Amino acid sequence: MKTAFLTEWRTTLRQPSSYTFVILWTSVISLLFLLNRGLPQFEGYTNMLGTIINLLLYLLPLFMLIIGSLSITNEVESGQWAIISTYPISAIRYISGKFLGQLVAQIAIFTLSFGISILISTVLQFSVSLKWIILIYLFSIFLQSFFLGLGILLGSFASTRWQALMGSVTVWFILIMMWASLLIAILQFIPYPLIPNILALSLLINPAELLRVFFVVQFGGGAVFGQEFDTVISLLELPVSFPLLGIYSFLFIAAVLGAAGWKLERRKMN
C-alpha cells in the first residue's frame, strides 16, 4: 500500500499536465473572484456563490473521474497490472494506495492553485471572508475525494482507456448534468407524502448533490431548496452535520474502493 501510494504521488507530480491544472484552477478561481469585485463583501449565499459552486461542480467531478479511471486502465493496457498481480499484495491495498496517493497529489495541486488565487484577491483588495474560503475549499476537497474514488471504480471495470473515458463522461453526465431532470421525472410518479423521503434518499445516492445541498446550507442558503427539504436542512444546520458528513464520506469511499478491489481480484484469477 505504501509503495502504491508513493508511486502514484511521484508519478502525478512529475506529469506536466499536473502543472497545467495549477494554471487552470488558478485562472478559474481568480476569474470568479474578479466577477465579484463590485460587491462590498464576499460572505453568505449569493448568486455569485451559486455560480462558483456550480462551476466547481461541473469541472472537478469530470476531471477526477477521468484521472481516477485512467490511472487503472493505463496499467491494465500497458501490462503493468499483470506484473503487479504477481506480487503478494491484495488488490484492495493496492487500490487504497493508488487512491490515497492520487488524492493527496490532487489536493496539493488544488491547494496551491487556491492559495495563489487567494493571494491575487488579497493583492487586488477583494473582500473575502475566512468562512467563505474554508467552506469553498472543503467543498472542493470533498468533491475530489468522492469522484476520484468513483473514477477508480470505473477504471477497475474498464478494459481500455476508451471505455474508461466514456464511462467517466457517462457517470458525470448522469450525476451532474441530468440528475435534477431525472429526479423531476421520477417524482411525478411518487405520492406527495413520500417525496421528502425520496429526496433525502437521492442525496445519499449522489454525493455531488449531497455536497451541494450541504454547503449551500452552511452558507445560509437552505431556503432556496423549498419545503420538501425542510427536514434535511434542519439536520444539516446542526453542529453534528460535519461529523455525519465525514462518516458518510468514509463509508461511501470504502464501499467504492472495496468494489474496485473485488473486481481487480477477479481479474487476477482470469
Side-chain angles (χ1 to χ4, degrees), residues 130-201:
L130 180 61
K131 176 183 176 181
W132 188 95
I133 293 173
I134 293 174
L135 289 179
I136 285 294
Y137 179 76
L138 289 176
F139 173 70
S140 304
I141 298 307
F142 274 109
L143 271 181
Q144 288 179 307
S145 303
F146 281 121
F147 284 90
L148 185 62
L150 283 174
I152 288 177
L153 176 61
L154 290 173
S156 66
F157 279 85
S159 300
T160 64
R161 295 182 181 93
W162 178 249
Q163 289 181 2
L165 178 61
M166 293 305 298
S168 298
V169 173
T170 300
V171 170
W172 171 79
F173 188 76
I174 293 174
L175 295 183
I176 305 299
M177 303 300 294
M178 287 293 296
W179 190 254
S181 300
L182 288 174
L183 274 183
I184 292 173
I186 293 172
L187 292 178
Q188 292 179 355
F189 303 98
I190 303 296
Y192 184 78
L194 296 178
I195 288 180
N197 295 330
I198 299 299
L199 290 174
L201 179 61

Side-chain angles (χ1 to χ4, degrees), residues 26 30 33 114-126:
T26 302
S30 299
F33 287 166
F114 200 80
I116 294 174
S117 300
I118 295 299
L119 179 61
I120 292 174
S121 69
T122 302
V123 171
L124 298 179
Q125 298 182 346
F126 297 165

Side-chain angles (χ1 to χ4, degrees), residues 35-254:
L35 292 174
N36 203 70
R37 185 177 183 179
L39 298 181
Q41 63 177 5
F42 211 175
E43 189 171 5
Y45 187 78
T46 62
N47 290 335
M48 183 54 61
L49 177 59
T51 300
I52 293 173
I53 289 176
N54 287 332
L55 187 58
L56 291 173
L57 203 59
Y58 293 149
L59 293 178
L60 278 173
L62 178 61
F63 286 131
M64 292 302 105
L65 285 169
I66 294 175
I67 289 172
S69 62
L70 291 182
S71 70
I72 300 296
T73 52
N74 282 341
E75 294 185 352
V76 171
E77 277 198 315
S78 66
Q80 187 175 351
W81 167 246
I83 298 175
I84 293 174
S85 62
T86 62
Y87 289 87
I89 179 174
S90 65
I92 185 63
R93 293 187 63 187
Y94 168 74
I95 285 292
S96 299
K98 283 188 70 69
F99 169 78
L100 292 174
Q102 186 67 244
L103 178 62
V104 171
Q106 294 301 328
I107 289 177
I109 291 169
F110 186 84
T111 301
L112 176 61
S113 306
F114 200 80
I116 294 174
S117 300
I118 295 299
L119 179 61
I120 292 174
S121 69
T122 302
V123 171
L124 298 179
Q125 298 182 346
F126 297 165
S127 178
V128 184
S129 72
L130 180 61
K131 176 183 176 181
W132 188 95
I133 293 173
I134 293 174
L135 289 179
I136 285 294
Y137 179 76
L138 289 176
F139 173 70
S140 304
I141 298 307
F142 274 109
L143 271 181
Q144 288 179 307
S145 303
F146 281 121
F147 284 90
L148 185 62
L150 283 174
I152 288 177
L153 176 61
L154 290 173
S156 66
F157 279 85
S159 300
T160 64
R161 295 182 181 93
W162 178 249
Q163 289 181 2
L165 178 61
M166 293 305 298
S168 298
V169 173
T170 300
V171 170
W172 171 79
F173 188 76
I174 293 174
L175 295 183
I176 305 299
M177 303 300 294
M178 287 293 296
W179 190 254
S181 300
L182 288 174
L183 274 183
I184 292 173
I186 293 172
L187 292 178
Q188 292 179 355
F189 303 98
I190 303 296
Y192 184 78
L194 296 178
I195 288 180
N197 295 330
I198 299 299
L199 290 174
L201 179 61
S202 71
L203 295 181
L204 297 178
I205 296 173
N206 185 351
E209 189 67 11
L210 174 63
L211 291 176
R212 185 176 73 89
V213 173
F214 181 91
F215 281 95
V216 167
V217 170
Q218 303 308 313
F219 278 110
V224 303
F225 295 111
Q227 183 179 356
E228 290 78 7
F229 279 94
D230 283 349
T231 303
V232 174
I233 291 172
S234 299
L235 176 62
L236 296 182
E237 288 176 341
L238 297 176
V240 74
S241 61
F242 266 103
L244 288 177
L245 178 62
I247 294 172
Y248 168 80
S249 303
F250 175 80
L251 294 176
F252 184 92
I253 294 173

